[in-house]
Amino acid sequence: MNRPLRRVAVCFLVMVLALMGRATWIQFFKADTYRSDPHNPRLAIDRYSHPLGNILVDGAPVTGSAKTGGTLAYKRTYTDGPLYAPITGFSSQIYGSTQLEGVYREVLDGSDSRLARPSDALLRKRPKAGDVSTTVDARVQKAGYAALKGKKGAAVALDPATGKVLGMVSTPSYDPGAFAGSAPADRAAWDKLEKDKNKPNINRAMRQSLAPGSPFKVVVGAAALTYAPGTYPDVDSRTDADSPYPLPGTKRSLPNEDPTAPCEDATLRVAFQYSCNNVFAKAANTLGQDKIQQMAEKFGFNDPKLDIPVRAAKSVYPTGMDKPSEAMSGIGQYNDMATPLQMAMVASAVANDGTLMKPMMVDELTDGSGTSIQSFQPTQYSKPVTPTVARSLQSAMRTVATSGTGTSVQIPGLTVGAKTGTAQNGVNNSGTPYAWFLSWAKNPDGKKVAVASIVQQSDAARAEVSGGSLAGPVAKAMMKAALQ
């Protein structure tokens, strides 16, 4: 072979070897990467080639599947989609999946290895999709949604004994079935949702942190009774708090919402009853931010990985504050931030005699035949306060419901505790204040429920915005549904 031919042969040999090496590298080392690439159309074709498994509420499916007649043979459908959207999230042929649809995607589409049976491999048969059973009580969910309708807000109801999420509502909501397919109408529905100024696709119950306002005083009260028993021996001892409270190092004083309320030197019980800012601002300065941070974190603040199993936005108690800011943070302002889920955890721990159970939204995962592949048991998150301190806070919160700012939430036959509040919104409180309501209830059998609700915006005039009048009815409706 002459030299030119030999060079061409060697060149072709090198090219063949390179091609073989590239193919081998892709098949053996990059196969999983390409297989799981979300832009791989085969993934969507495979996922929607058969009916999906369902998400269950009270044992009944709130999801389904419908034939499309297209390449993507089935698409997700939803029963009462806007009602359950904060629970289910969405599963879209174009836009992916969120919430429980996303967390348990492999169970719901049948690709989870736990669903496979020996016969499936022999018959080259895809395992039947599994189901996700939630902890949600349909009555509680419907009650909260109906009470919030027409308002921008959210609410969460927890079972204090187990941490189970009984209801999670966010309004305005959206219909996840409107863009579950891949037709032009689905794209149009998605575009409309994305452009909506009210952002209905945000789960305000657990994915949006806002200033908690006066309900945060429960955390400060817990810290005072726990870390300064000499100064705050019980909820009925005087606190030596000036009204209005002079902010340290400034010429400004912090007033109370009601200047006629008996907040001067008030007890913690009276301070809860009338939501006295002076008492809790002074307590924050007396205790110091490190102690309050310690207590807040026991309740779940500053936890960046709170998964229920959907990850919640972090609720924040700030650090590095000066004394005036420290005082303002003691009444739930400054840079305090909390989700309704977080505030429901505070109420839950108080109602459960000081033990906080980790919130959980799913009871069990089952295969296509209904056999359990994984069950979830209640787990303790922390013990923020002792039973003695918890019962003292329960007593003070009962006073709020019987003769304080939360009387509108009284429910015949139930013992109710509450803490109302509004939180400033915007620079110099230029926005409409947020109305908060924190509560728990117990029936004669000892069964309990804890609820946190917030109304961010409603038709009420600014002067009429209050936790008791706006957010209270939402909490009341959910507590009644849970216990009556």
Side-chain angles (χ1 to χ4, degrees):
M1 182 181 297
N2 60 37
R3 183 174 296 179
L5 288 175
R6 187 164 54 248
R7 287 177 176 174
V8 170
V10 170
C11 181
F12 272 100
L13 178 62
V14 171
M15 291 171 65
V16 169
L17 291 175
L19 184 62
M20 292 176 62
R22 173 69 175 174
T24 301
W25 181 70
I26 289 175
Q27 288 182 332
F28 289 94
F29 299 103
K30 296 292 290 183
D32 287 341
T33 301
Y34 290 125
R35 192 180 298 119
S36 59
D37 190 321
H39 300 292
N40 182 354
R42 293 184 179 181
L43 289 176
I45 293 172
D46 183 56
R47 175 173 169 79
Y48 294 105
S49 64
H50 55 279
L52 298 174
N54 287 311
I55 297 173
L56 312 178
V57 173
D58 289 341
V62 296
T63 57
S65 297
K67 288 185 177 181
T68 65
T71 304
L72 304 176
Y74 289 86
K75 71 173 183 177
R76 174 61 99 195
T77 61
Y78 295 88
T79 303
D80 292 324
L83 171 64
Y84 291 111
I87 307 294
T88 63
F90 62 78
S91 180
S92 169
Q93 293 178 347
I94 304 175
Y95 306 108
S97 53
T98 60
Q99 294 281 123
L100 294 184
E101 291 275 31
V103 173
Y104 295 114
R105 176 174 175 161
E106 293 182 349
V107 172
L108 293 167
D109 69 13
S111 62
D112 191 299
S113 60
R114 294 172 294 178
L115 300 172
R117 297 174 298 179
S119 60
D120 293 331
L122 292 173
L123 299 173
R124 293 186 177 182
K125 180 181 176 183
R126 185 188 184 94
K128 188 176 179 181
D131 295 333
V132 177
S133 179
T134 72
T135 62
V136 175
D137 184 324
R139 295 168 301 178
V140 178
Q141 186 75 6
K142 290 175 181 177
Y145 186 72
L148 266 173
K149 202 163 186 180
K151 307 177 183 71
K152 182 188 291 186
V156 176
L158 299 176
D159 178 348
T162 63
K164 292 183 178 182
V165 175
L166 303 178
M168 180 178 287
V169 182
S170 178
T171 57
S173 190
Y174 66 98
D175 182 4
F179 51 89
S182 53
D186 295 272
R187 297 178 187 273
W190 175 265
D191 290 341
K192 182 179 178 181
L193 179 66
E194 287 288 284
K195 293 174 183 177
D196 192 326
K197 293 180 180 179
N198 287 316
K199 300 296 181 184
N201 53 335
I202 294 177
N203 184 350
R204 292 178 170 83
M206 63 177 292
R207 293 294 305 159
Q208 185 179 61
S209 298
L210 299 169
S214 289
F216 188 76
K217 293 171 182 176
V218 176
V219 177
V220 178
L225 293 169
T226 300
Y227 300 130
T231 306
Y232 302 95
D234 53 57
V235 295
D236 293 308
S237 295
R238 295 287 180 177
T239 58
D240 192 27
D242 292 334
S243 179
Y245 177 66
L247 294 172
T250 75
K251 295 181 179 180
R252 297 176 54 203
S253 292
L254 177 64
N256 292 300
E257 187 71 22
D258 180 1
T260 66
C263 292
E264 179 80 28
D265 193 26
T267 66
L268 286 177
R269 183 186 302 279
V270 170
F272 273 107
Q273 183 180 7
Y274 294 95
S275 202
C276 299
N277 290 332
N278 62 314
V279 171
F280 293 99
K282 176 180 170 57
N285 285 151
T286 300
L287 292 163
Q289 57 196 276
D290 290 345
K291 289 297 185 184
I292 297 180
Q293 179 187 353
Q294 187 176 339
M295 179 58 69
E297 291 181 351
K298 288 181 180 180
F299 280 111
F301 282 81
N302 297 336
D303 185 347
K305 296 181 179 180
L306 179 61
D307 300 328
I308 72 165
V310 179
R311 178 155 295 180
K314 184 169 75 169
S315 296
V316 177
Y317 177 77
T319 58
M321 295 176 281
D322 57 22
K323 282 295 184 179
S325 299
E326 185 181 77
M328 293 302 295
S329 76
I331 63 169
Q333 294 291 169
Y334 184 57
N335 288 336
D336 293 6
M337 303 290 281
T339 63
L341 172 65
Q342 173 60 76
M343 297 314 295
M345 290 168 66
V346 173
S348 180
V350 171
N352 198 37
D353 293 338
T355 298
L356 175 59
M357 303 301 290
K358 183 180 179 181
M360 55 183 291
M361 200 157 51
V362 174
D363 270 328
E364 189 176 36
L365 308 178
T366 57
D367 64 15
S369 63
T371 301
S372 177
I373 61 171
Q374 186 176 359
S375 59
F376 302 91
Q377 302 302 318
T379 58
Q380 181 177 308
Y381 183 88
S382 66
K383 286 185 70 71
V385 295
T386 65
T388 300
V389 169
R391 289 169 191 144
S392 294
L393 293 171
Q394 290 172 18
S395 177
M397 292 178 74
R398 286 199 301 270
T399 301
V400 175
T402 58
S403 58
T405 56
T407 54
S408 63
V409 83
Q410 292 179 24
I411 304 172
L414 301 182
T415 301
V416 180
K419 182 68 195 81
T420 65
T422 55
Q424 292 185 0
N425 172 26
V427 178
N428 296 322
N429 198 22
S430 57
T432 302
Y434 306 132
W436 280 91
F437 202 90
L438 190 66
S439 59
W440 54 266
K442 179 176 69 173
N443 69 12
D445 296 328
K447 184 179 178 181
K448 300 174 183 177
V449 63
V451 180
S453 56
I454 182 174
V455 172
Q456 293 175 243
Q457 193 171 4
S458 70
D459 294 332
R462 181 186 179 94
E464 297 173 357
V465 173
S466 72
S469 63
L470 287 180
V474 181
K476 182 177 181 177
M478 297 179 84
M479 291 190 294
K480 286 180 67 175
L483 298 182
Q484 288 188 333

